[in-house]
Amino acid sequence: MKIVVSFACGAVLSLALYLLVFESRVDAPPLEVSQGLADGYDQFVDSLAQAGDFVESHPWYGSEREQAEAYRHIMRTLVAAIEERFMHDPRFPYFRIINPNNKTGMDNPDQRYLIAILDGNHDYRVWGSRGTSRRLDFVLFADVVDGRTLGVLSSDDLVVGEDGGFEVIVSPERQPGNWLRSEAVPGKLIVRQTFSDWATEAPGEVHIDRMNVPVGEVPHMNAAVMTQRLRALAAAFSEQVRHWPEFNRTVAGRLPENWLSPLRQVGYMGGLPGRLMSLGHYHLEQDEALIITTWPSDAAYQGLQLGHHWWQS
């Protein structure tokens, strides 16, 4: 009986509170729909449909496996674009890390890539611990596809403290210690941790902060910001989903089959300055194999990357 009475009293009290709250409520003002937001979202949706049309009409859209990879290419590119263009804020940057879900552009699986979009009108501090990877390199590019190199800090030149910690300043004006030159243009910072012996080498911690942030400044969100991000997402996704398959078709695809080009520098086209690369593609029957012969060198790292038509490892 005590349980029943207690439950009944609780129900009466809940009903009283319900009536008190809802009898005294004030109706919310009518929702003001931003046409810019709606247009930005429509632009993004259109870019998805156009990506499907692009891959289905592409020469690489051949076997069932290649068709499946085409749509995985779309989805990986979409995830990367969302992380890099929709979620990012150069005023409060974070590194995004390339992984099997968001990789595009034929990444090197022996490297751990950290990427941040920066505003060249601000200075940044990159800091963390070195780890034991074979190399740790910093390159700042102009933030366009195959953008020119703005600044480079090589693993060979990185000054690391006795405790394994480091700090790199990214700014137009030279700074003491580790410094990466920037310009007053949008930039893309790529940090590469390169591994050669995965059983013994471990990544370090790498973080980034904008310097001289005014006290009390915080990220803000409104219709204008969201509209800009939706449009930037649609544009970047549309460009990237087309760029890499076409790069493969018009560059690698023009080379002879089962052949590798001479080694060449690639820093001028978005690669890491100082690195030598060779490029080629192959076509093999079921009972054939491609044998690649090379020789050891004094380089800190040598590797071989394998990818498919849509230019993903």
Side-chain angles (χ1 to χ4, degrees):
M1 180 62 70
K2 290 182 178 179
I3 295 177
V4 174
V5 171
S6 176
F7 174 78
C9 290
V12 171
L13 180 60
S14 297
L15 177 61
L17 288 172
Y18 176 88
L19 293 174
L20 177 63
V21 170
F22 283 90
E23 285 299 322
S24 60
R25 73 181 182 184
V26 177
D27 290 334
L31 180 65
E32 295 183 4
V33 179
S34 169
Q35 188 59 44
L37 271 172
D39 291 343
Y41 186 75
D42 288 344
Q43 182 179 340
F44 164 62
V45 172
D46 289 344
S47 71
L48 295 176
Q50 293 166 10
D53 294 340
F54 167 75
V55 299
E56 290 177 11
S57 63
H58 201 277
W60 300 148
Y61 198 72
S63 68
E64 180 181 343
R65 173 67 183 274
E66 290 167 330
Q67 293 177 23
E69 289 290 1
Y71 281 94
R72 182 157 68 169
H73 163 63
I74 288 176
M75 299 313 294
R76 280 173 167 166
T77 305
L78 176 60
V79 173
I82 290 174
E83 291 180 351
E84 193 165 281
R85 300 299 165 179
F86 183 77
M87 297 297 184
H88 90 289
D89 184 344
R91 298 172 307 146
F92 300 91
Y94 287 87
F95 281 116
R96 79 174 186 92
I97 301 175
I98 292 182
N99 61 59
N101 299 323
N102 64 10
K103 60 181 181 180
T104 61
M106 188 67 84
D107 66 303
N108 178 357
D110 277 334
Q111 291 182 337
R112 185 172 187 257
Y113 297 80
L114 299 94
I115 302 174
I117 305 300
L118 308 183
D119 182 341
N121 295 305
H122 299 289
D123 298 343
Y124 295 86
R125 171 178 174 258
V126 181
W127 57 278
S129 59
R130 171 64 178 83
T132 57
S133 62
R134 187 60 55 95
R135 295 186 62 84
L136 176 61
D137 297 285
F138 305 79
V139 185
L140 182 65
F141 302 100
D143 185 25
V144 295
V145 174
D146 293 338
R148 61 189 174 91
T149 302
L150 302 179
V152 178
L153 177 61
S154 168
S155 184
D156 303 319
D157 299 323
L158 180 67
V159 178
V160 179
E162 294 182 358
D163 61 352
F166 70 88
E167 178 181 85
V168 178
I169 303 301
V170 183
S171 65
E173 301 297 329
R174 176 173 289 278
Q175 303 293 324
N178 296 314
W179 173 65
L180 191 62
R181 189 179 75 89
S182 65
E183 296 180 12
V185 297
K188 176 182 287 189
L189 175 61
I190 300 181
V191 181
R192 292 176 172 90
Q193 294 174 308
T194 305
F195 299 87
S196 186
D197 184 353
W198 283 89
T200 62
E201 297 173 6
E205 287 289 332
V206 185
H207 307 277
I208 184 169
D209 296 304
R210 179 164 63 96
M211 301 176 67
N212 306 314
V213 179
V215 175
E217 182 176 345
V218 297
H220 65 274
M221 180 59 62
N222 54 37
V225 170
M226 183 57 67
T227 299
Q228 187 277 328
R229 291 190 181 188
L230 284 168
R231 295 188 184 281
L233 167 61
F237 169 70
S238 295
E239 182 178 44
Q240 291 290 330
V241 84
R242 290 165 171 75
H243 174 77
W244 294 115
E246 284 298 280
F247 176 86
N248 187 13
R249 183 182 67 84
T250 59
V251 178
R254 291 182 177 178
L255 299 175
E257 287 185 352
N258 305 332
W259 177 83
L260 290 175
S261 67
L263 291 170
R264 59 175 182 162
Q265 293 272 3
V266 295
Y268 71 94
M269 56 182 293
L272 180 64
R275 181 175 58 179
L276 297 174
M277 292 190 69
S278 177
L279 185 65
H281 66 99
Y282 64 90
H283 180 82
L284 303 174
E285 300 298 335
Q286 290 296 325
D287 60 346
E288 294 180 328
L290 181 68
I291 299 175
I292 299 174
T293 303
T294 185
W295 290 265
S297 74
D298 294 331
Y301 168 83
Q302 285 182 274
L304 181 69
Q305 291 80 53
L306 184 65
H308 56 60
H309 284 324
W310 304 101
W311 211 244
Q312 293 174 356
S313 63

Short mmCIF file of all heavy atoms in Angstrom, two decimals, residues 27-33:
data_model
loop_
_atom_site.label_atom_id
_atom_site.label_comp_id
_atom_site.label_asym_id
_atom_site.label_seq_id
_atom_site.Cartn_x
_atom_site.Cartn_y
_atom_site.Cartn_z
N ASP A 27 5.39 30.87 -26.54
CA ASP A 27 5.66 30.26 -27.84
C ASP A 27 6.94 30.86 -28.45
O ASP A 27 7.17 32.07 -28.37
CB ASP A 27 4.49 30.49 -28.79
CG ASP A 27 3.27 29.67 -28.38
OD1 ASP A 27 3.47 28.63 -27.73
OD2 ASP A 27 2.14 30.09 -28.70
N ALA A 28 7.74 29.99 -29.06
CA ALA A 28 8.97 30.44 -29.70
C ALA A 28 8.63 31.26 -30.94
O ALA A 28 7.59 31.06 -31.57
CB ALA A 28 9.83 29.24 -30.10
N PRO A 29 9.49 32.21 -31.29
CA PRO A 29 9.24 33.00 -32.49
C PRO A 29 9.30 32.10 -33.72
O PRO A 29 9.92 31.04 -33.69
CB PRO A 29 10.38 34.02 -32.49
CG PRO A 29 11.46 33.40 -31.67
CD PRO A 29 10.74 32.59 -30.62
N PRO A 30 8.64 32.47 -34.80
CA PRO A 30 8.67 31.64 -36.02
C PRO A 30 10.09 31.48 -36.53
O PRO A 30 10.92 32.39 -36.43
CB PRO A 30 7.78 32.42 -37.00
CG PRO A 30 7.80 33.82 -36.49
CD PRO A 30 7.88 33.72 -35.00
N LEU A 31 10.37 30.31 -37.08
CA LEU A 31 11.70 30.01 -37.61
C LEU A 31 11.96 30.80 -38.88
O LEU A 31 11.15 30.81 -39.80
CB LEU A 31 11.81 28.51 -37.91
CG LEU A 31 13.15 28.02 -38.48
CD1 LEU A 31 14.25 28.21 -37.44
CD2 LEU A 31 13.05 26.57 -38.89
N GLU A 32 13.11 31.48 -38.90
CA GLU A 32 13.52 32.22 -40.09
C GLU A 32 14.46 31.34 -40.90
O GLU A 32 15.58 31.03 -40.48
CB GLU A 32 14.20 33.52 -39.70
CG GLU A 32 13.29 34.51 -38.99
CD GLU A 32 13.98 35.83 -38.69
OE1 GLU A 32 15.15 35.97 -39.11
OE2 GLU A 32 13.38 36.69 -38.05
N VAL A 33 14.03 30.91 -42.05
CA VAL A 33 14.82 30.02 -42.89
C VAL A 33 15.80 30.85 -43.73
O VAL A 33 15.40 31.80 -44.40
CB VAL A 33 13.93 29.17 -43.81
CG1 VAL A 33 14.78 28.28 -44.70
CG2 VAL A 33 12.97 28.34 -42.98
#
